[in-house]
Amino acid sequence: MSQYAKIIVDVPTMQTDQPYTYSIPAVLTNQIEIGMRVIVPFGNGKRLVQGFVIDLFDKNEFDGRVKDIQSVVDLRPVVNTELLDLSEWIANETFSFRITALQMVLPSVMRATYKKRVRLIDEIDENLQDKLFQGQDSIDFDPEHMDAQIIKELLQLTKAEKAEMIYEVGNKAKVKMQLSIQPKLGFEVYENIRSGLRKNAKQQHLLVDYLQSLTENSLIPQKQVVEEVGVTPATITAGAKNGWLEKVETEVYRDPYKDTIIEPTDMQELTSDQEVAVLAVDEAIKSGTNKTFLLQGVTGSGKTEVYLQTIAKALELRKTALMLVPEIALTPQMVKRVKSRFGDLVAVLHSGLSDGERYDEWRRIERKEAQVVVGARSAVFAPLDNIGVIIVDEEHEASYKQDETPRYHARDVVLWRSKRHQCPVILGSATPSLESRARAQKGVYEWLQLPHRINGHPMPEVTLIDMREEMKKTGESNFSEPLRHEITKRLEKKEQTVLMLNRRGFSSFVMCRDCGFVLPCPNCDTSLTLHMDTHTMKCHYCGHEEGIPKTCPNCHSRKIRYYGTGTQKVEEELKTLYPEAKILRMDVDTTRKKGAHEKLLAKFGAKEADILLGTQMIAKGLDFPDVTLVGVLNADTALSLPDFRSSERTFQLLTQVSGRAGRAEKEGHVIIQTFNPDHYAIQYAKHHDYESFYKKEMSVRHMENYPPYYYTIQLTASYTDEAGAAKKMLEAVQFLKPVLSKNAIILGPTPKSIMRVNNRFYYQVVIKYKSEGQLKERLRELMTKSQAEVRKGLKLTIDSEPVNFI
DNA sequence: AGCACGCCGACT
DNA sequence: GTCGGCGTGCTC
């Protein structure tokens, strides 16, 4: 029977990033447990905030006024001790607030909502009450959407104690309820009731017949009864009145896949390589060994089957399993594959779900109804108990790193949880990140390989097209001679083609042919991008939108035209080249709507189109047997970016798209158009040679002191004026230098490559280091020290092991 | 974050 | 003279 609780309050600032002590009032005795959410008064006024109970104890050591907890939000803890510890670890590792880290491990609907109301507590002039309260005795107080005069008067009333401010802490999480009916009587009783009915009471006869056919106390949704039996809700209500049945509200899950028909499938027979892998992991599951496996297998080598069978092994031991997949690879095909093996035991978590669906999947996991979780990055926080195995598919994917605070890497969280659960981890990829591959080399990870494709087919032939030469021949076209030729051949043979446009650094902008003027964003240092679908110019950084200019704003020339290569423009060119071909375009614009992505792919899979044109998103996991040609229109736009990982990214991307050709019986062909045909990333991708790429890239990283030889940390400051941001980063360097050894390398401060975004100026510093015991502590001090400036509009972010350097 | 307190300019 | 602007300190 604890009397006090330590609480992390929902006020995300550096100053309040610490547990606060609250007393537990007598009415709440024994109701409060660690991991529950509570509502507490916080601050001078009557402000109420939500908080998480992180500890309970008896003796108060805080000498100051201790307030009572106002109320509890949950009946049972929502954050278990594992996730509590995990959130603390993440807050530490990522320099984020504990409250932010706590909220992150829960579905977003469970975040508190705050509202203020003003309520009259004294008589006031009737006219005034009409004006301020619209006749009511209380009104929502929302200064954002209220007249300044009204706000003022309301505040005056509160000051004069004629009105009071009421703080409301809300909860968006809603459990969906469904009205069901429950037969309450036995067979004979219904028999009697029926004989007492009038002959022409058709509806009542139907209902009684139906009730009689059910077992007593079974629950049937009313909706279903209305549909299947053909009785009206009114009849059911009447039945309830007569005591024939009872109406019951029951909880239902919003199931995102309820309309998907899933046929159960059996395990596939394993190749000997797969067998070795499954056995190794199984052994670790059985012995409860916290071991990490790097499963490196070429596309089509059957990594997924290895995942599924290890999951099955975990389930056999009554353990659970977690499988992470990159968001874009989490297609219905993928989900179906897992669900068809494990049925209702599977919960799926990804960004395509509505908040309600996500919440319900989360509750199914939490209640142990789901034992297999498949999901994107944030699914790593699934409240699974007794985890037997954790899988990270496509472990090299940059999207596993969250690019907002808390900037955690799902792979790191997985390793933390595996330690906690004493279970193995499988990191799977055809093109592992250098970090992981290097760890496998050193024996930190156990290296499992699947070097052969299951169907025994050779990897597709890859042809490089030197666009420097081609440009001389074809001019401004996006399609080289050989690529056009191959597309034509596919159209004749009725085979399918996939074309990929490497979107990075690519977009259509508008330029004046007379003076070279490019339409800039007024808020950012970028040019606006043309969007055909909305007929506007948009900024991809701040969302600014304006009309398409007809004349050049600079020289008033009418010769203002599109440039560059957006998917829309390529699509237009394709249509002119192949007027008879059916083309599907897949990019951010065509897949924005929920489910659009799936529909497009289903269409292509059903051979309703000849050519699929898209951005990176088509590179992942698509499996279409009739695709025999894959074309990459611009292989190297990413290569020139000032990011040390650009070679690695290019190699991974090209290797992945290449894997899309010739998955089934037919032989595939890949054509890569490039301006750098001799670049090693492109050469090794052509030869499907990961190992050589790995060696070459490791030597580059070694020479240039980059990961995996060095750790990196990136500091970014942004401010409303450039000097302020630059000054802050200079100060930061001065502040950090004293604790850094001479082995640490400081890059910068430099302006970010797009220095101005949304009228804020960005400067950065990157520190490369091997071992700096005091660095993290010092960085935390830097954040505390900067509080005053943060209040004045400075934004300071610290990103440990950033994945994007631009 | 959001609230109270406190100190200076321009208004009923 | 007071109202209200925002700079500063604190929140169990």
Side-chain angles (χ1 to χ4, degrees):
Chain A
M1 214 180 65
S2 310
Q3 317 213 10
Y4 298 96
K6 285 244 188 279
I7 291 174
I8 301 288
V9 292
D10 184 9
V11 182
T13 65
M14 206 73 217
Q15 300 95 299
T16 52
D17 188 32
Q18 47 160 324
Y20 285 86
T21 305
Y22 281 87
S23 42
I24 300 171
V27 277
L28 295 178
T29 310
N30 293 332
Q31 282 188 53
I32 292 178
E33 287 174 56
I34 292 175
M36 282 181 176
R37 294 171 298 164
V38 290
I39 293 169
V40 292
F42 192 71
N44 280 327
K46 292 181 202 159
R47 183 183 178 194
L48 295 176
V49 297
Q50 193 178 81
F52 286 83
V53 178
I54 59 157
D55 197 12
L56 293 172
F57 57 103
D58 289 319
K59 235 182 98 220
N60 173 30
E61 74 285 16
F62 175 73
D63 60 340
R65 195 161 91 86
V66 176
K67 294 182 185 172
D68 269 353
I69 291 175
Q70 202 241 223
S71 58
V72 281
V73 178
D74 305 302
L75 294 172
R76 310 191 312 108
V78 288
V79 184
N80 61 30
T81 47
E82 185 207 352
L83 292 175
L84 210 57
D85 293 347
L86 176 60
S87 71
E88 190 180 353
W89 178 76
I90 286 178
N92 272 321
E93 290 295 306
T94 66
F95 305 93
S96 53
F97 307 126
R98 291 198 58 184
I99 187 66
T100 320
L102 274 165
Q103 285 169 338
M104 179 178 64
V105 307
L106 294 178
S108 59
V109 277
M110 292 173 79
R111 212 167 295 167
T113 53
Y114 296 98
K115 226 164 76 174
K116 281 194 287 184
R117 290 181 74 79
V118 194
R119 186 171 64 190
L120 264 182
I121 48 176
D122 205 348
E123 296 274 307
I124 59 165
D125 179 82
E126 210 172 290
N127 290 330
L128 190 64
Q129 182 171 355
D130 259 11
K131 181 180 154 205
L132 299 180
F133 294 88
Q134 284 140 16
Q136 315 279 107
D137 60 356
S138 72
I139 190 167
D140 278 342
F141 188 73
D142 177 12
E144 300 274 284
H145 307 102
M146 278 167 97
D147 186 74
Q149 184 57 33
I150 304 228
I151 294 172
K152 213 172 101 187
E153 289 183 49
L154 286 172
L155 287 176
Q156 275 166 358
L157 281 178
T158 43
K159 230 179 207 158
E161 296 194 331
K162 287 182 184 299
E164 65 173 352
M165 201 64 90
I166 303 173
Y167 293 76
E168 285 174 14
V169 182
N171 192 349
K172 275 179 295 180
K174 288 275 180 307
V175 172
K176 190 176 172 186
M177 299 302 274
Q178 187 177 52
L179 189 60
S180 292
I181 65 152
Q182 193 170 35
K184 298 307 286 181
L185 309 170
F187 190 90
E188 280 79 28
V189 190
Y190 284 123
E191 201 63 54
N192 290 337
I193 292 170
R194 192 201 335 266
S195 50
L197 287 177
R198 283 199 327 247
K199 259 222 181 93
N200 56 0
K202 282 222 171 99
Q203 287 261 318
Q204 298 200 21
H205 271 286
L206 273 175
L207 181 62
V208 174
D209 285 350
Y210 180 69
L211 290 171
Q212 194 174 26
S213 73
L214 299 168
T215 38
E216 204 173 319
N217 290 330
S218 55
L219 275 172
I220 319 289
Q222 169 163 315
K223 216 173 122 203
Q224 189 187 326
V225 180
V226 171
E227 269 165 29
E228 287 176 11
V229 188
V231 293
T232 61
T235 316
I236 292 174
T237 309
K241 237 179 230 160
N242 295 338
W244 305 346
L245 59 95
E246 219 167 83
K247 284 198 195 183
V248 189
E249 286 276 351
T250 54
E251 210 177 285
V252 281
Y253 292 125
R254 286 152 280 208
D255 180 2
Y257 296 94
K258 64 171 178 296
D259 297 329
T260 320
I261 298 151
I262 288 160
E263 306 279 348
T265 53
D266 292 329
M267 288 197 215
Q268 288 169 18
E269 198 155 324
L270 298 180
T271 64
S272 56
D273 292 329
Q274 286 175 314
E275 185 107 36
V276 170
V278 172
L279 277 174
V281 180
D282 183 32
E283 199 171 305
I285 299 174
K286 281 202 179 102
S287 59
T289 315
N290 156 38
K291 200 177 197 181
T292 305
F293 296 91
L294 175 64
L295 179 64
Q296 185 174 351
V298 297
T299 30
S301 60
K303 289 190 290 292
T304 310
E305 189 59 29
V306 172
Y307 303 152
L308 296 178
Q309 298 212 12
T310 51
I311 292 172
K313 298 281 187 194
L315 292 176
E316 276 171 28
L317 293 170
R318 318 196 117 258
K319 292 182 175 221
T320 63
L322 172 61
M323 175 163 154
L324 299 185
V325 177
E327 186 73 55
I328 28 174
L330 198 54
T331 57
Q333 299 174 46
M334 169 90 222
V335 172
K336 241 178 162 166
R337 196 154 169 205
V338 184
K339 285 213 168 201
S340 65
R341 195 70 62 86
F342 305 112
D344 290 340
L345 292 180
V346 182
V348 182
L349 293 168
H350 63 87
S351 67
L353 304 183
S354 69
D355 284 351
E357 287 168 344
R358 176 173 268 276
Y359 177 52
D360 287 356
E361 289 291 88
W362 181 87
R363 284 189 303 143
R364 284 182 56 225
I365 302 163
E366 206 255 336
R367 294 172 172 183
K368 307 190 200 311
E369 291 165 24
Q371 273 123 51
V372 178
V373 173
V374 181
R377 181 182 59 228
S378 64
V380 75
F381 302 113
L384 284 169
D385 231 15
N386 194 15
I387 301 178
V389 63
I390 310 181
I391 294 154
V392 183
D393 188 27
E394 312 279 353
E395 67 88 30
H396 62 276
E397 269 292 312
S399 63
Y400 281 125
K401 172 87 192 247
Q402 178 149 68
D403 55 10
E404 292 158 27
T405 44
R407 298 170 189 273
Y408 70 94
H409 199 301
R411 199 170 48 202
D412 300 333
V413 178
V414 160
L415 295 178
W416 188 96
R417 293 196 78 180
S418 77
K419 221 171 180 176
R420 179 74 166 229
H421 289 264
Q422 285 298 304
C423 73
V425 170
I426 308 176
L427 304 176
S429 178
T431 52
S433 62
L434 287 223
E435 285 88 342
S436 295
R437 177 60 184 75
R439 284 186 188 168
Q441 192 76 43
K442 286 199 335 200
V444 181
Y445 297 164
E446 188 169 326
W447 195 18
L448 301 169
Q449 286 172 273
L450 305 176
H452 309 294
R453 293 185 125 184
I454 285 202
N455 55 18
H457 290 181
M459 296 302 276
E461 189 199 329
V462 179
T463 309
L464 296 181
I465 308 293
D466 185 345
M467 289 305 276
R468 292 168 306 191
E469 294 300 312
E470 273 303 313
M471 285 292 260
K472 290 177 197 155
K473 287 185 259 169
T474 49
E476 278 183 34
S477 171
N478 291 299
F479 297 90
S480 62
E481 209 31 70
L483 181 55
R484 286 189 203 179
H485 178 70
E486 290 297 323
I487 296 175
T488 311
K489 262 172 45 186
R490 294 298 157 347
L491 290 173
E492 282 164 4
K493 284 198 280 181
K494 301 259 178 257
E495 290 174 357
Q496 290 178 298
T497 300
V498 167
L499 295 174
M500 188 190 77
L501 193 65
N502 201 344
R503 208 176 61 88
R504 276 198 101 140
F506 251 80
S507 54
S508 7
F509 52 97
V510 161
M511 184 164 92
C512 172
R513 294 203 177 196
D514 281 339
C515 72
F517 178 83
V518 175
L519 197 63
C521 172
N523 310 320
C524 313
D525 291 337
T526 51
S527 46
L528 297 179
T529 312
L530 176 73
H531 281 250
M532 289 298 242
D533 51 348
T534 49
H535 286 281
T536 52
M537 304 295 301
K538 277 187 203 167
C539 173
H540 287 184
Y541 290 85
C542 73
H544 171 84
E545 212 170 324
E546 58 184 76
I548 303 169
K550 296 204 168 53
T551 56
C552 172
N554 187 42
C555 71
H556 307 291
S557 156
R558 294 184 149 272
K559 286 190 183 161
I560 186 157
R561 299 287 140 80
Y562 321 139
Y563 271 84
T565 312
T567 42
Q568 292 170 350
K569 203 183 159 218
V570 173
E571 185 183 15
E572 278 170 30
E573 191 184 346
L574 258 180
K575 278 180 183 158
T576 0
L577 287 172
Y578 308 101
E580 76 291 356
K582 273 176 256 142
I583 302 159
L584 280 179
R585 176 164 64 92
M586 192 158 110
D587 58 19
V588 249
D589 288 329
T590 59
T591 55
R592 207 186 332 261
K593 266 186 259 143
K594 196 183 160 186
H597 189 253
E598 289 74 40
K599 266 187 208 144
L600 274 174
L601 290 180
K603 252 187 163 175
F604 191 64
K607 290 201 79 172
E608 283 174 38
D610 308 299
I611 301 173
L612 177 66
L613 166 70
T615 51
Q616 268 92 323
M617 57 176 85
I618 61 172
K620 320 282 175 201
L622 309 187
D623 232 333
F624 298 116
D626 284 317
V627 173
T628 57
L629 174 66
V630 168
V632 180
L633 298 180
N634 54 332
D636 35 23
T637 44
L639 275 181
S640 54
L641 296 174
D643 188 327
F644 74 88
R645 274 189 254 260
S646 59
S647 299
E648 186 181 354
R649 296 252 169 80
T650 302
F651 177 82
Q652 287 165 342
L653 187 65
L654 294 180
T655 306
Q656 256 175 15
V657 270
S658 302
R660 299 302 127 222
R663 299 278 306 206
E665 293 313 304
K666 295 167 193 159
E667 208 175 297
H669 188 186
V670 178
I671 292 186
I672 297 176
Q673 302 188 153
T674 171
F675 288 94
N676 300 287
D678 303 322
H679 192 284
Y680 63 91
I682 290 176
Q683 279 294 327
Y684 289 134
K686 170 180 157 73
H687 294 107
H688 310 284
D689 188 354
Y690 176 86
E691 285 309 303
S692 300
F693 173 77
Y694 167 70
K695 289 202 183 90
K696 167 73 183 166
E697 184 67 9
M698 283 295 274
S699 76
V700 172
R701 302 282 181 92
H702 186 61
M703 249 162 23
E704 296 178 4
N705 301 325
Y706 271 114
Y709 295 97
Y710 273 77
Y711 295 114
T712 53
I713 212 153
Q714 181 192 50
L715 315 188
T716 310
S718 77
Y719 204 63
T720 44
D721 74 273
E722 187 183 345
K727 189 170 144 259
K728 186 67 216 174
M729 282 294 90
L730 275 169
E731 264 174 43
V733 169
Q734 290 314 314
F735 183 73
L736 296 173
K737 255 189 185 156
V739 304
L740 293 177
S741 72
K742 55 183 183 305
N743 299 322
I745 302 163
I746 301 174
L747 307 178
T750 46
K752 286 239 168 196
S753 64
I754 298 171
M755 183 173 66
R756 187 179 55 121
V757 173
N758 224 343
N759 287 322
R760 293 183 67 86
F761 293 83
Y762 288 80
Y763 269 73
Q764 69 168 22
V765 169
V766 172
I767 300 167
K768 299 192 283 188
Y769 65 100
K770 287 204 169 184
S771 157
E772 297 292 339
Q774 296 176 70
L775 179 57
K776 293 216 161 162
E777 189 46 44
R778 191 76 169 168
L779 284 167
R780 219 158 279 130
E781 276 172 48
L782 176 68
M783 291 200 85
T784 318
K785 199 172 75 86
S786 309
Q787 275 170 48
E789 294 147 280
V790 169
R791 285 177 76 108
K792 286 176 190 142
L794 171 80
K795 277 184 191 148
L796 179 65
T797 56
I798 301 177
D799 191 351
S800 176
E801 299 305 315
V803 293
N804 283 311
F805 278 79
I806 39 170

